Amino acid sequence: DVAGARVLYGEGLACLPPTGPETPEGRELAASLYANRAVTFFREKKFAATVLDCDKSLDLDPKHEKSYIRKWRALMALGKFEDAFKCLETAVSELPDSTRLKEELTSASEQKDLLTTVNALLEKGEYQEARDTLKPVVKTSDNVSLWLAAARADACLGFTESALERINKVLLFNPKHAEGLKVRGYAM
């Protein structure tokens, strides 16, 4: 029960002193409570609330790896790829020995370069080349920005069904995604 878990994490946070946890153990506990409550928001697709709780967790413990990962995923779901990328950069600078964060940052860097290339192709009207460039990546990626770029290319080429399929994937993940709604309107 996701909502019930969130209530319990909130009750745990309410038990902390009003001035905030004063010991390292107290800060660690509060950071974990915020990070775990963030998961409950994420599962209910409340991505902005996820980011806020991750920020609170990181204020208390700047080395809380899971909070960076959860915040990064929530920012990606919101379509804020640049902010998500910066989150990973900060995470790696705080936790330089984290293999997982380094791998995520490497992958995000490659996706950022790909997105830059594809967006330039789309701006030049080279829709087929953009589509071909994205095709091998977009099937396995969880990057909402790449999904939307692929949908734009498909829509411009007249592949309405494919474009709508990609957009619906975005909107299933985040029904309020502004760019997803905009691209869906264009594709229809």
Side-chain angles (χ1 to χ4, degrees):
D1 175 29
V2 175
R6 184 170 41 253
V7 168
L8 292 174
Y9 291 128
E11 288 175 359
L13 288 164
C15 291
L16 297 172
T19 58
E22 297 172 6
T23 65
E25 295 82 9
R27 284 190 294 280
E28 185 178 327
L29 172 63
S32 291
L33 289 169
Y34 278 117
N36 289 334
R37 190 172 72 175
V39 172
T40 68
F41 286 124
F42 190 88
R43 289 194 177 154
E44 291 185 342
K45 300 180 181 186
K46 297 177 180 177
F47 303 117
T50 302
V51 171
L52 290 174
D53 266 10
C54 287
D55 284 340
K56 290 174 185 175
S57 175
L58 292 167
D59 285 345
L60 293 161
D61 182 2
K63 303 223 180 273
H64 199 272
E65 182 184 52
K66 287 182 180 180
S67 291
Y68 286 112
I69 291 169
R70 291 169 183 164
K71 179 179 178 179
W72 163 67
R73 287 185 178 151
L75 289 167
M76 290 293 286
L78 289 167
K80 296 182 177 186
F81 184 70
E82 286 297 322
D83 291 342
F85 187 79
K86 289 176 188 172
C87 173
L88 285 177
E89 286 180 320
T90 302
V92 169
S93 71
E94 284 290 334
L95 298 159
D97 296 330
S98 171
T99 303
R100 183 173 183 193
L101 289 171
K102 285 180 188 176
E103 288 170 354
E104 295 292 358
L105 182 59
T106 299
S107 176
S109 295
E110 291 167 359
Q111 291 179 17
K112 183 178 181 182
D113 293 344
L114 177 62
L115 196 57
T116 299
T117 299
V118 167
N119 283 335
L121 291 169
L122 291 171
E123 286 179 29
K124 292 190 282 186
E126 296 176 13
Y127 307 120
Q128 187 62 52
E129 189 174 345
R131 185 174 199 258
D132 293 343
T133 301
L134 285 169
K135 194 171 189 173
V137 177
V138 81
K139 288 181 182 179
T140 58
S141 175
D142 61 356
N143 185 324
V144 171
S145 297
L146 291 177
W147 294 345
L148 287 170
R152 282 194 305 273
D154 285 350
C156 290
L157 290 168
F159 300 121
T160 305
E161 189 173 314
S162 177
L164 290 173
E165 182 180 305
R166 296 180 197 286
I167 294 163
N168 287 337
K169 189 174 178 181
V170 170
L171 296 176
L172 181 65
F173 197 66
N174 179 3
K176 297 178 183 178
H177 195 286
E179 188 179 353
L181 293 169
K182 179 180 171 183
V183 173
R184 182 178 67 181
Y186 176 75
M188 297 177 91

Short mmCIF file of all heavy atoms in Angstrom, two decimals, residues 80-116:
data_model
loop_
_atom_site.label_atom_id
_atom_site.label_comp_id
_atom_site.label_asym_id
_atom_site.label_seq_id
_atom_site.Cartn_x
_atom_site.Cartn_y
_atom_site.Cartn_z
N LYS A 80 12.71 16.84 -17.83
CA LYS A 80 13.74 17.85 -17.53
C LYS A 80 15.11 17.19 -17.65
O LYS A 80 15.82 16.99 -16.67
CB LYS A 80 13.51 18.43 -16.14
CG LYS A 80 12.20 19.17 -16.03
CD LYS A 80 12.03 19.77 -14.66
CE LYS A 80 10.74 20.58 -14.59
NZ LYS A 80 10.61 21.29 -13.32
N PHE A 81 15.47 16.86 -18.90
CA PHE A 81 16.69 16.11 -19.14
C PHE A 81 17.93 16.86 -18.67
O PHE A 81 18.83 16.28 -18.08
CB PHE A 81 16.80 15.74 -20.62
CG PHE A 81 17.99 14.89 -20.94
CD1 PHE A 81 18.04 13.57 -20.50
CD2 PHE A 81 19.05 15.39 -21.65
CE1 PHE A 81 19.13 12.77 -20.78
CE2 PHE A 81 20.15 14.61 -21.94
CZ PHE A 81 20.18 13.29 -21.50
N GLU A 82 18.00 18.16 -18.95
CA GLU A 82 19.17 18.95 -18.53
C GLU A 82 19.32 18.95 -17.00
O GLU A 82 20.42 18.79 -16.48
CB GLU A 82 19.10 20.38 -19.07
CG GLU A 82 19.39 20.48 -20.54
CD GLU A 82 20.80 20.05 -20.92
OE1 GLU A 82 21.76 20.32 -20.18
OE2 GLU A 82 20.94 19.39 -21.98
N ASP A 83 18.22 19.15 -16.30
CA ASP A 83 18.26 19.12 -14.84
C ASP A 83 18.66 17.74 -14.33
O ASP A 83 19.42 17.61 -13.36
CB ASP A 83 16.91 19.52 -14.24
CG ASP A 83 16.57 20.98 -14.46
OD1 ASP A 83 17.49 21.78 -14.76
OD2 ASP A 83 15.39 21.33 -14.33
N ALA A 84 18.15 16.70 -14.99
CA ALA A 84 18.49 15.34 -14.60
C ALA A 84 19.98 15.09 -14.81
O ALA A 84 20.64 14.47 -13.97
CB ALA A 84 17.65 14.34 -15.41
N PHE A 85 20.50 15.58 -15.93
CA PHE A 85 21.92 15.43 -16.23
C PHE A 85 22.77 16.13 -15.16
O PHE A 85 23.74 15.57 -14.67
CB PHE A 85 22.22 15.98 -17.63
CG PHE A 85 23.61 15.72 -18.09
CD1 PHE A 85 23.96 14.47 -18.60
CD2 PHE A 85 24.58 16.70 -18.03
CE1 PHE A 85 25.26 14.22 -19.02
CE2 PHE A 85 25.87 16.46 -18.45
CZ PHE A 85 26.21 15.22 -18.96
N LYS A 86 22.38 17.35 -14.81
CA LYS A 86 23.11 18.10 -13.76
C LYS A 86 23.04 17.37 -12.42
O LYS A 86 24.00 17.39 -11.65
CB LYS A 86 22.55 19.52 -13.63
CG LYS A 86 22.89 20.40 -14.80
CD LYS A 86 22.23 21.76 -14.69
CE LYS A 86 22.43 22.56 -15.96
NZ LYS A 86 21.65 23.78 -15.97
N CYS A 87 21.91 16.73 -12.14
CA CYS A 87 21.76 15.96 -10.91
C CYS A 87 22.81 14.84 -10.87
O CYS A 87 23.46 14.63 -9.84
CB CYS A 87 20.35 15.39 -10.81
SG CYS A 87 20.09 14.24 -9.45
N LEU A 88 22.97 14.16 -11.99
CA LEU A 88 23.97 13.09 -12.05
C LEU A 88 25.39 13.64 -11.93
O LEU A 88 26.24 13.02 -11.28
CB LEU A 88 23.83 12.28 -13.34
CG LEU A 88 22.66 11.32 -13.41
CD1 LEU A 88 22.59 10.65 -14.77
CD2 LEU A 88 22.75 10.26 -12.31
N GLU A 89 25.64 14.78 -12.55
CA GLU A 89 26.98 15.38 -12.43
C GLU A 89 27.29 15.72 -10.96
O GLU A 89 28.39 15.44 -10.47
CB GLU A 89 27.07 16.65 -13.28
CG GLU A 89 27.16 16.38 -14.76
CD GLU A 89 27.26 17.66 -15.57
OE1 GLU A 89 26.58 18.65 -15.25
OE2 GLU A 89 28.04 17.66 -16.55
N THR A 90 26.31 16.30 -10.28
CA THR A 90 26.48 16.61 -8.86
C THR A 90 26.69 15.34 -8.06
O THR A 90 27.56 15.29 -7.18
CB THR A 90 25.25 17.37 -8.32
OG1 THR A 90 25.08 18.57 -9.08
CG2 THR A 90 25.40 17.70 -6.85
N ALA A 91 25.93 14.32 -8.37
CA ALA A 91 26.04 13.04 -7.66
C ALA A 91 27.44 12.46 -7.78
O ALA A 91 28.03 12.02 -6.79
CB ALA A 91 25.00 12.06 -8.19
N VAL A 92 27.98 12.48 -8.99
CA VAL A 92 29.32 11.92 -9.21
C VAL A 92 30.37 12.76 -8.50
O VAL A 92 31.34 12.22 -7.96
CB VAL A 92 29.61 11.76 -10.71
CG1 VAL A 92 31.07 11.43 -10.96
CG2 VAL A 92 28.72 10.67 -11.30
N SER A 93 30.17 14.07 -8.44
CA SER A 93 31.15 14.91 -7.73
C SER A 93 31.09 14.66 -6.22
O SER A 93 32.10 14.71 -5.54
CB SER A 93 30.96 16.40 -8.06
OG SER A 93 29.80 16.90 -7.47
N GLU A 94 29.89 14.37 -5.70
CA GLU A 94 29.74 14.06 -4.27
C GLU A 94 30.19 12.64 -3.93
O GLU A 94 30.68 12.39 -2.84
CB GLU A 94 28.28 14.24 -3.83
CG GLU A 94 27.84 15.68 -3.67
CD GLU A 94 28.49 16.38 -2.48
OE1 GLU A 94 28.87 15.71 -1.49
OE2 GLU A 94 28.60 17.61 -2.53
N LEU A 95 29.97 11.73 -4.86
CA LEU A 95 30.28 10.31 -4.63
C LEU A 95 31.15 9.78 -5.78
O LEU A 95 30.71 8.96 -6.59
CB LEU A 95 28.98 9.50 -4.55
CG LEU A 95 28.05 9.89 -3.40
CD1 LEU A 95 26.62 9.46 -3.67
CD2 LEU A 95 28.56 9.29 -2.10
N PRO A 96 32.39 10.25 -5.87
CA PRO A 96 33.25 9.89 -7.01
C PRO A 96 33.58 8.40 -7.10
O PRO A 96 34.01 7.94 -8.16
CB PRO A 96 34.51 10.73 -6.79
CG PRO A 96 34.51 11.09 -5.35
CD PRO A 96 33.08 11.12 -4.92
N ASP A 97 33.38 7.66 -6.04
CA ASP A 97 33.68 6.23 -6.07
C ASP A 97 32.47 5.36 -6.45
O ASP A 97 32.59 4.14 -6.51
CB ASP A 97 34.22 5.77 -4.71
CG ASP A 97 35.55 6.43 -4.37
OD1 ASP A 97 36.31 6.75 -5.32
OD2 ASP A 97 35.82 6.64 -3.18
N SER A 98 31.35 5.98 -6.71
CA SER A 98 30.14 5.24 -7.05
C SER A 98 30.16 4.78 -8.51
O SER A 98 29.99 5.59 -9.42
CB SER A 98 28.88 6.07 -6.79
OG SER A 98 27.75 5.40 -7.31
N THR A 99 30.33 3.50 -8.71
CA THR A 99 30.33 2.93 -10.05
C THR A 99 28.98 3.13 -10.72
O THR A 99 28.90 3.48 -11.90
CB THR A 99 30.68 1.43 -9.99
OG1 THR A 99 31.94 1.30 -9.34
CG2 THR A 99 30.74 0.81 -11.36
N ARG A 100 27.92 2.91 -9.97
CA ARG A 100 26.57 3.04 -10.53
C ARG A 100 26.32 4.46 -11.05
O ARG A 100 25.79 4.64 -12.15
CB ARG A 100 25.54 2.67 -9.48
CG ARG A 100 24.13 2.72 -10.01
CD ARG A 100 23.13 2.20 -9.04
NE ARG A 100 21.79 2.21 -9.62
CZ ARG A 100 20.69 2.05 -8.93
NH1 ARG A 100 20.75 1.81 -7.64
NH2 ARG A 100 19.52 2.09 -9.51
N LEU A 101 26.67 5.46 -10.25
CA LEU A 101 26.45 6.84 -10.68
C LEU A 101 27.32 7.19 -11.89
O LEU A 101 26.85 7.87 -12.81
CB LEU A 101 26.72 7.81 -9.53
CG LEU A 101 25.69 7.79 -8.41
CD1 LEU A 101 26.16 8.62 -7.23
CD2 LEU A 101 24.33 8.29 -8.90
N LYS A 102 28.55 6.71 -11.91
CA LYS A 102 29.42 6.96 -13.06
C LYS A 102 28.84 6.33 -14.33
O LYS A 102 28.87 6.95 -15.40
CB LYS A 102 30.82 6.40 -12.80
CG LYS A 102 31.64 7.21 -11.84
CD LYS A 102 33.00 6.56 -11.65
CE LYS A 102 33.79 7.22 -10.57
NZ LYS A 102 35.06 6.53 -10.32
N GLU A 103 28.32 5.12 -14.21
CA GLU A 103 27.73 4.45 -15.36
C GLU A 103 26.50 5.21 -15.86
O GLU A 103 26.32 5.39 -17.07
CB GLU A 103 27.34 3.01 -15.01
CG GLU A 103 28.53 2.10 -14.84
CD GLU A 103 28.17 0.73 -14.27
OE1 GLU A 103 26.99 0.51 -13.88
OE2 GLU A 103 29.07 -0.13 -14.19
N GLU A 104 25.66 5.67 -14.93
CA GLU A 104 24.47 6.43 -15.31
C GLU A 104 24.86 7.74 -15.99
O GLU A 104 24.24 8.14 -16.97
CB GLU A 104 23.59 6.70 -14.09
CG GLU A 104 22.99 5.47 -13.45
CD GLU A 104 21.96 4.73 -14.29
OE1 GLU A 104 21.62 5.17 -15.41
OE2 GLU A 104 21.48 3.69 -13.83
N LEU A 105 25.90 8.39 -15.46
CA LEU A 105 26.35 9.65 -16.06
C LEU A 105 26.92 9.43 -17.45
O LEU A 105 26.66 10.22 -18.37
CB LEU A 105 27.37 10.36 -15.15
CG LEU A 105 27.87 11.71 -15.66
CD1 LEU A 105 26.73 12.70 -15.85
CD2 LEU A 105 28.91 12.28 -14.69
N THR A 106 27.68 8.36 -17.62
CA THR A 106 28.22 8.04 -18.94
C THR A 106 27.09 7.81 -19.94
O THR A 106 27.11 8.36 -21.05
CB THR A 106 29.14 6.80 -18.87
OG1 THR A 106 30.23 7.09 -17.99
CG2 THR A 106 29.67 6.41 -20.24
N SER A 107 26.10 7.04 -19.54
CA SER A 107 24.95 6.78 -20.40
C SER A 107 24.19 8.07 -20.71
O SER A 107 23.81 8.33 -21.86
CB SER A 107 24.02 5.77 -19.73
OG SER A 107 22.86 5.58 -20.49
N ALA A 108 23.99 8.90 -19.69
CA ALA A 108 23.28 10.17 -19.88
C ALA A 108 24.07 11.10 -20.80
O ALA A 108 23.47 11.81 -21.62
CB ALA A 108 23.04 10.84 -18.53
N SER A 109 25.40 11.08 -20.71
CA SER A 109 26.24 11.91 -21.59
C SER A 109 26.07 11.48 -23.04
O SER A 109 25.95 12.32 -23.95
CB SER A 109 27.71 11.81 -21.20
OG SER A 109 27.93 12.36 -19.93
N GLU A 110 26.05 10.16 -23.26
CA GLU A 110 25.86 9.65 -24.62
C GLU A 110 24.48 10.04 -25.14
O GLU A 110 24.34 10.44 -26.30
CB GLU A 110 26.03 8.13 -24.62
CG GLU A 110 27.45 7.69 -24.36
CD GLU A 110 27.59 6.20 -24.05
OE1 GLU A 110 26.56 5.47 -24.02
OE2 GLU A 110 28.74 5.77 -23.84
N GLN A 111 23.47 9.94 -24.28
CA GLN A 111 22.12 10.30 -24.69
C GLN A 111 22.00 11.80 -24.95
O GLN A 111 21.29 12.23 -25.86
CB GLN A 111 21.11 9.84 -23.64
CG GLN A 111 20.97 8.34 -23.59
CD GLN A 111 19.99 7.88 -22.53
OE1 GLN A 111 19.17 8.65 -22.03
NE2 GLN A 111 20.06 6.61 -22.20
N LYS A 112 22.71 12.59 -24.16
CA LYS A 112 22.69 14.04 -24.35
C LYS A 112 23.28 14.40 -25.71
O LYS A 112 22.73 15.22 -26.45
CB LYS A 112 23.47 14.73 -23.22
CG LYS A 112 23.46 16.24 -23.29
CD LYS A 112 24.22 16.82 -22.12
CE LYS A 112 24.19 18.34 -22.17
NZ LYS A 112 24.94 18.94 -21.07
N ASP A 113 24.41 13.76 -26.06
CA ASP A 113 25.03 14.00 -27.36
C ASP A 113 24.10 13.56 -28.49
O ASP A 113 23.96 14.26 -29.50
CB ASP A 113 26.37 13.25 -27.47
CG ASP A 113 27.43 13.81 -26.53
OD1 ASP A 113 27.25 14.94 -26.01
OD2 ASP A 113 28.43 13.10 -26.29
N LEU A 114 23.47 12.41 -28.32
CA LEU A 114 22.54 11.90 -29.32
C LEU A 114 21.36 12.85 -29.50
O LEU A 114 20.97 13.17 -30.62
CB LEU A 114 22.05 10.51 -28.92
CG LEU A 114 21.02 9.87 -29.84
CD1 LEU A 114 21.59 9.66 -31.24
CD2 LEU A 114 20.54 8.54 -29.24
N LEU A 115 20.84 13.33 -28.39
CA LEU A 115 19.70 14.25 -28.45
C LEU A 115 20.08 15.55 -29.14
O LEU A 115 19.30 16.10 -29.94
CB LEU A 115 19.19 14.51 -27.03
CG LEU A 115 17.81 15.11 -26.89
CD1 LEU A 115 16.76 14.26 -27.57
CD2 LEU A 115 17.47 15.27 -25.42
N THR A 116 21.27 16.05 -28.88
CA THR A 116 21.75 17.26 -29.54
C THR A 116 21.83 17.04 -31.05
O THR A 116 21.36 17.89 -31.84
CB THR A 116 23.13 17.67 -28.99
OG1 THR A 116 23.01 17.92 -27.59
CG2 THR A 116 23.68 18.90 -29.68
#
